Amino acid sequence: MAYHRGSRGKGKKNHQEGEEIIRVPLPDRSKGQLFGVIEQALGAGWMDVRCEDGKVRRCRIPGKLKRRMWMRVGDVVIVQPWPVQTDERGDIVYRYTRTQVDWLLRKGKISQDFLTGGELLF
């Protein structure tokens, strides 16, 4: 029995010429999300994260992420500050892979100084 292997539109996306396709999730600034780098693992799902605004926040890893992936010191993450204690606490929303961090560096979304412990993002 022969199967049709032609293109049926699967996997093909319609996009405009010149429009860049972004496959890496970026922080949602309307929700107050920030880039961050994990500085210290505290245990029980808590991490100290240095955020792009220069503050170190104690962030928790929600159970959904805790069960799905490991977080290590030096990982780049997206942080969602809490509504209360905004400057002190937050949640880790997403962890970037190494290739995604390379893409962020190439596109200028983060700088090498930010990764190595520099003061600000730009």
Side-chain angles (χ1 to χ4, degrees):
M1 178 181 236
Y3 291 101
H4 178 67
R5 294 194 181 262
S7 174
R8 293 184 209 165
K10 289 185 179 179
K12 299 211 177 201
K13 307 265 185 197
N14 292 333
H15 65 278
Q16 302 293 328
E17 285 295 320
E19 181 181 328
E20 183 180 8
I21 300 171
I22 298 177
R23 292 188 174 99
V24 177
L26 297 174
D28 187 357
R29 302 298 181 181
S30 65
K31 295 179 182 176
Q33 294 179 353
L34 306 162
F35 284 112
V37 177
I38 296 176
E39 286 198 335
Q40 185 176 9
L42 302 171
W46 289 88
M47 304 274 180
D48 277 345
V49 179
R50 180 177 30 86
C51 297
E52 65 182 318
D53 59 0
K55 297 177 181 159
V56 177
R57 290 181 172 86
R58 185 150 294 168
C59 297
R60 79 182 170 96
I61 305 169
K64 179 172 98 174
L65 287 179
K66 196 187 314 184
R67 286 186 292 274
R68 199 169 55 189
M69 64 179 66
W70 285 87
M71 306 248 180
R72 295 176 300 275
V73 173
D75 283 347
V76 178
V77 294
I78 296 177
V79 174
Q80 171 74 52
W82 287 1
V84 180
Q85 297 180 326
T86 305
D87 295 340
E88 301 168 9
R89 301 285 173 110
D91 287 332
I92 294 176
V93 178
Y94 185 80
R95 179 183 62 92
Y96 290 103
T97 63
R98 185 69 231 167
T99 54
Q100 290 173 333
V101 171
D102 291 341
W103 185 88
L104 291 169
L105 286 168
R106 271 196 326 271
K107 296 297 180 179
K109 305 290 184 189
I110 59 174
S111 67
Q112 189 65 39
D113 289 339
F114 176 66
L115 294 178
T116 58
E119 286 300 312
L120 294 175
L121 183 63
F122 294 102

